Amino acid sequence: MKKYDVAIVGASGMVGRELLDLIKIRRFPVNKIYFFNSGKNKISFIEFKNKKYECFSPQLNLLEKAKIVFFVSTEEISRKYAPILASKKIWCIDDSSEFRLDPSVPLIIPEINSELIKKSYLIAGPNCTLTPLAVSCFNIHKKFQIEEIRVATYQAVSGAGRKAIESLFEELEYYLKNKKMKSKNKFLPNPIAFNIFPQVGSFDKNGISSEEKKVELELKKIWNSPDIKISVTAVRVPTIRVHCLSAWIKTKKDWELKDIEKTFINSKGVKYLKNPKYATPLNSAKTFEVFVSRLRKTPIKNEFQVWLSGDNLYKGAALNSIQIAEKIIEENYG
Ligand SMILES: NC(=O)c1ccc[n+]([C@@H]2O[C@H](COP(=O)([O-])OP(=O)(O)OC[C@H]3O[C@@H](n4cnc5c(N)ncnc54)[C@H](OP(=O)(O)O)[C@@H]3O)[C@@H](O)[C@H]2O)c1
């Protein structure tokens, strides 16, 4: 089997580490592997398959050695290097938000629109919060034409990166030692231990958070459906990984609840749990599917409600990127 030279930019971060695990778990055919991070902190070596690799700060001449580059660091780094590498026919799979809404860059979830991969060497992966919704309800949309979505999210702390997770653990330790809460968190807008808050990202002049805007605009792009009405409340909760969503979905076409259930059961990448079973962050962590549970009708015509969940570090980021890379090599693109 052909093997590929691969680079991971952001290898020491939350998503970077998951990428490494998934490369092993899914036996992605790696020849040489190169690791990059900020070069600013103490993690300067990465262990992979019992070997220690030095981690470099990004440099074009080193990045150019790879055939596939996973960008899992910052928007700035993606902006600086991905377009140059892509112009040299190096596949760049970017998990940052830098190019997601750029009309020339495909925004890919392989279960939905893998046919767009061949259009560009630079490919964006979506925001981790919309992934469970996008994957699970795509076939519902195709069959019954979704016209309106209202959703409240319950987002794990790892969605905000390694430093945010470390800060959750510090807060918990501080509480256990001092029997009082810390008053501030350096990486999140509020303390997060024993807390929840309806702010993920910053607010615009209309009071909408950047995360809420991403869910709306990226979902419209991925489904190629600019007219769907989407309203979101994004909430941070003190879980470690897996984002959950409570969603109200209204369609144009009529259906029986069993048709909706059947569509979920037959959708790729979806695990449907029949009542009274449901997904939680603990029972859906590190799984490759997104989960749909608590399906029920609402009093509004053509509207149902579901509880969705998906691992933000897997399908919301690293797994989706690996699946894109797998598609590239499977189809022998470029
Ligand atoms: N976390 C999620 O659930 C999730 C989901 C979807 C998409 N994403 C996106 O994926 C990316 C990574 O997120 P994360 O949660 O893994 O963040 P993270 O835990 O904070 O890790 C960031 C990584 O980027 C590296 N980095 C920072 N500045 C850099 C620079 N100037 N040059 C090279 N590397 C640099 C860090 O290196 P050091 O170790 O040296 O600091 C670290 O390896 C972000 O763009 C994020 O928006 C994250």
Side-chain angles (χ1 to χ4, degrees), residues 10 12-15 37-38 41 58 72-73 95-96 158-159 161-162 312 316:
S12 50
M14 292 301 303
V15 180
N37 67 0
S38 72
N41 72 32
V72 287
S73 61
D95 259 325
S96 83
S158 60
R162 192 184 69 222
N312 55 302

Side-chain angles (χ1 to χ4, degrees), residues 274-308:
K274 209 173 169 58
N275 276 328
K277 287 190 179 156
Y278 51 82
T280 69
L282 291 185
N283 71 16
S284 52
K286 291 206 172 195
T287 52
F288 291 170
E289 296 91 0
V290 302
F291 285 69
V292 177
S293 54
R294 303 261 357 254
L295 172 65
R296 64 244 191 240
K297 259 184 88 44
T298 79
I300 293 167
K301 185 172 158 46
N302 291 348
E303 190 184 74
F304 66 85
Q305 203 176 346
V306 268
W307 175 250
L308 307 171

Side-chain angles (χ1 to χ4, degrees), residues 89-129:
K89 301 194 171 179
I90 294 167
W91 289 98
C92 295
I93 304 172
D94 182 26
D95 259 325
S96 83
S97 57
E98 180 63 22
F99 299 104
R100 289 177 188 157
L101 297 177
D102 182 330
S104 67
V105 176
L107 180 59
I108 300 287
I109 294 182
E111 290 86 346
I112 298 174
N113 57 0
S114 66
E115 73 285 354
L116 300 181
I117 292 175
K118 59 178 176 292
K119 288 193 180 294
S120 160
Y121 280 94
L122 171 51
I123 294 160
N127 171 278
C128 46
T129 309

